[in-house]
């Protein structure tokens, strides 16, 4: 239904289709965005880090698995290098890991003991913060740095007033009001996100946000292809009588890939932050490097990666049983393979560094 709030968390555990086992794409994205993170920390070092006995950071939408503490480790290493260069005392670190309450926080906490030995002489205290980042999460002016990777493109809910879409996202066959509804929802959510974080971050503190976006104003471009293919896979299930057409008609992903100008306009209109850096990069759907390309292998890999992210949302709406979920992603892998035989796909990403001016 319009405005439906879906079950939004990645697949838990360590199985083949878990997020922990299927998130190398997300790690690739974190690595690609690292230079912007380094630059943000350097810019705030003299005024904030060098004068603080404790450096408070938050990772929003942290999920679970190997990537969860990867960014925290990167931040600490960047600060260590700067402290060595400037011959100043290393601060202690408070790392807040945030995600929705259904996130697999138990897996995170179990991984923390193996994380500490890699910090050398740094003292880092890790806390889990369950809750939506579209609500207040931290005390006023308590954070120096906020990081978020591959989370801001998730909306607080599916847009309202969407009818006759017959797709799970924006497609070329979608009525014009579908794009308008998605843009309005992103505008509302991202504006609120900025306003809330401005209250929580110290003046001069930074945010580094990485999310899927699009490189052109046209909302119907190739960036939607992976979701178009998933829509086609769901249509296969309708034709085989496994799901009802009405179920697909009422499903809209709470997800939006903004154009870079849309992002900068919202930041400017909300007014709490200055844009320090905006950069763009692409990552292949199959992010694996140094492999001999095989469309069948890539199709299976991409389907597994997407399943780790989307399965819980699909199950909560369509009420799939295990066998139908398996079959859906088999069809998805098949359609992906057919697409890859014609052309490769990639995700366009935006990484933006913002300075809190309030």
């Amino acid at each position: 239904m319009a405005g439906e709030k879906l079950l939004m968390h990645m697949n838990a555990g360590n199985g083949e289709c878990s997020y922990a086992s299927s998130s190398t794409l997300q790690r690739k994205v974190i690595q690609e965005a690292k230079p912007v993170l380094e630059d943000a920390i350097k810019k705030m070092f003299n005024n904030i880090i060098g004068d603080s006995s404790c450096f408070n950071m938050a990772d929003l939408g942290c999920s679970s698995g190997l990537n969860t503490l990867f960014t925290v480790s990167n931040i600490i290493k960047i600060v260590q290098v700067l402290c060595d260069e400037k011959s100043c005392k290393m601060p202690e670190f408070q790392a807040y890991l945030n995600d929705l309450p259904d996130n697999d926080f138990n897996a995170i906490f179990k991984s923390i003991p193996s994380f500490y030995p890699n910090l050398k002489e740094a003292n880092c205290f890790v806390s889990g913060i369950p809750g939506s980042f579209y609500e207040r999460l931290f005390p006023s002016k308590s954070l120096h740095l906020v990081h978020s990777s591959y989370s801001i493109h998730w909306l607080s809910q599916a847009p309202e007033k969407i009818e006759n879409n017959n797709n799970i996202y924006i497609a070329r066959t979608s009525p014009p009001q579908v794009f308008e509804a998605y843009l309005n929802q992103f505008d509302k959510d991202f504006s609120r996100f900025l306003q809330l974080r401005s209250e929580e971050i110290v003046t001069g503190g930074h945010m580094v946000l990485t999310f899927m976006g699009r490189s052109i104003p046209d909302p119907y471009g190739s960036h939607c292809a992976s979701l178009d293919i998933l829509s086609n896979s769901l249509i296969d299930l309708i034709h085989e009588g496994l799901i009802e057409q009405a179920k697909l008609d009422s499903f809209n992903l709470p997800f939006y890939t903004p154009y870079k100008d849309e992002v900068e306009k919202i930041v400017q209109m909300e007014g709490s932050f200055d844009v320090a850096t905006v950069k763009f990069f692409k990552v292949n759907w199959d992010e694996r490097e140094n492999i001999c390309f095989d469309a069948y292998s890539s199709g299976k890999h991409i389907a597994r990666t997407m399943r780790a992210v989307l399965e819980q949302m699909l199950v909560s709406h369509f009420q799939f049983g295990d066998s139908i979920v398996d079959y859906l992603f088999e069809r998805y892998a098949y359609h992906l393979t057919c697409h890859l035989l014609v052309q490769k796909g990639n995700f366009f990403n935006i990484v933006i560094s913002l300075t809190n001016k309030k």
Side-chain angles (χ1 to χ4, degrees):
M1 65 185 69
E4 178 184 12
K5 289 197 174 184
L6 299 162
L7 187 62
M8 291 180 60
H9 67 83
M10 310 297 106
N11 279 351
N14 294 294
E16 182 185 26
C17 297
S18 69
Y19 185 81
S21 301
S22 304
S23 53
T24 52
L25 169 72
Q26 289 83 352
R27 176 168 286 230
K28 173 78 170 176
V29 168
I30 292 170
Q31 291 171 328
E32 291 289 333
K34 186 178 177 182
V36 176
L37 179 64
E38 290 177 334
D39 185 60
I41 293 172
K42 286 178 182 178
K43 286 178 178 176
M44 62 191 293
F45 187 89
N46 289 335
N47 294 330
I48 294 177
I49 301 174
D51 295 333
S52 300
S53 59
C54 185
F55 182 62
N56 297 321
M57 57 177 135
D59 190 23
L60 307 185
C62 67
S63 193
S64 62
L66 297 176
N67 296 340
T68 300
L69 293 166
F70 182 57
T71 297
V72 174
S73 178
N74 281 342
I75 292 169
I76 291 173
K77 289 175 182 177
I78 293 167
V79 174
Q80 282 177 322
V81 169
L82 289 170
C83 286
D84 289 343
E85 289 177 353
K86 298 176 181 294
S87 301
C88 64
K89 184 180 178 182
M90 179 86 116
E92 295 184 318
F93 297 89
Q94 173 67 61
Y96 298 105
L97 303 177
N98 157 259
D99 214 313
L100 294 171
D102 286 324
N103 184 52
D104 193 355
F105 282 100
N106 282 338
I108 296 174
F109 298 146
K110 288 177 182 177
S111 70
I112 289 175
S114 62
F115 164 71
Y116 284 137
N118 297 322
L119 298 182
K120 297 182 179 179
E121 298 180 2
N123 288 325
C124 181
F125 305 92
V126 180
S127 300
I129 308 294
S132 168
F133 51 55
Y134 295 120
E135 303 293 339
R136 273 291 298 268
L137 294 168
F138 305 100
S140 297
K141 304 302 177 187
S142 62
L143 299 175
H144 300 110
L145 176 68
V146 166
H147 174 270
S148 182
S149 183
Y150 262 33
S151 295
I152 301 299
H153 48 238
W154 292 109
L155 304 172
S156 65
Q157 63 177 51
E160 297 179 346
K161 300 178 182 178
I162 290 183
E163 296 178 356
N164 304 316
N165 189 19
N166 198 31
N167 290 280
I168 64 173
Y169 184 53
I170 303 167
R172 291 202 178 275
T173 56
S174 299
Q177 60 267 29
V178 172
F179 166 63
E180 295 171 7
Y182 269 101
L183 177 57
N184 289 339
Q185 187 66 48
F186 178 75
D187 189 336
K188 175 183 175 182
D189 283 344
F190 191 47
S191 296
R192 178 164 175 76
F193 177 90
L194 294 170
Q195 182 261 318
L196 294 170
R197 301 294 84 78
S198 177
E199 295 177 28
E200 298 167 346
I201 299 173
V202 300
T203 302
H206 277 245
M207 278 203 299
V208 177
L209 311 174
T210 308
F211 44 91
M212 288 187 193
R214 60 185 199 272
S215 58
I216 56 176
D218 180 8
Y220 309 106
S222 61
H223 59 280
C224 301
S226 62
L227 295 178
D228 289 344
I229 294 169
L230 182 57
S231 287
N232 292 336
S233 305
L234 287 162
I235 290 169
D236 286 351
L237 270 60
I238 293 173
H239 291 160
E240 296 185 33
L242 297 174
I243 60 174
E244 298 176 358
Q245 179 71 47
K247 276 290 188 180
L248 179 58
D249 291 343
S250 62
F251 181 76
N252 297 286
L253 273 177
F255 169 91
Y256 182 67
T257 52
Y259 178 50
K260 61 182 182 65
D261 289 5
E262 294 169 0
V263 174
E264 293 186 80
K265 181 179 178 181
I266 294 169
V267 172
Q268 182 180 11
M269 293 297 293
E270 195 280 326
S272 298
F273 290 87
D274 287 324
V275 176
T277 307
V278 184
K279 291 192 176 180
F280 318 100
F281 60 92
K282 294 179 180 179
V283 174
N284 289 335
W285 287 353
D286 185 346
E287 80 296 338
R288 297 174 297 175
E289 297 177 348
N290 302 320
I291 63 167
C292 182
F293 175 73
D294 174 75
Y296 175 73
S297 172
S298 285
K300 288 185 66 176
H301 175 76
I302 299 162
R304 187 165 55 246
T305 298
M306 297 290 279
R307 179 172 181 171
V309 174
L310 298 174
E311 180 172 354
Q312 298 306 315
M313 275 180 276
L314 293 167
V315 169
S316 69
H317 177 82
F318 290 97
Q319 300 297 304
F320 288 140
D322 291 343
S323 61
I324 297 181
V325 174
D326 290 342
Y327 182 59
L328 169 63
F329 283 95
E330 286 174 10
R331 298 302 302 163
Y332 189 37
Y334 167 77
H335 286 301
L336 285 165
T337 298
C338 293
H339 179 90
L340 293 168
L341 287 169
V342 178
Q343 67 180 94
K344 291 185 179 180
N346 56 63
F347 297 115
F348 181 82
N349 303 287
I350 300 172
V351 54
I352 184 167
S353 173
L354 303 167
T355 307
N356 189 19
K357 59 185 181 182
K358 291 191 174 182

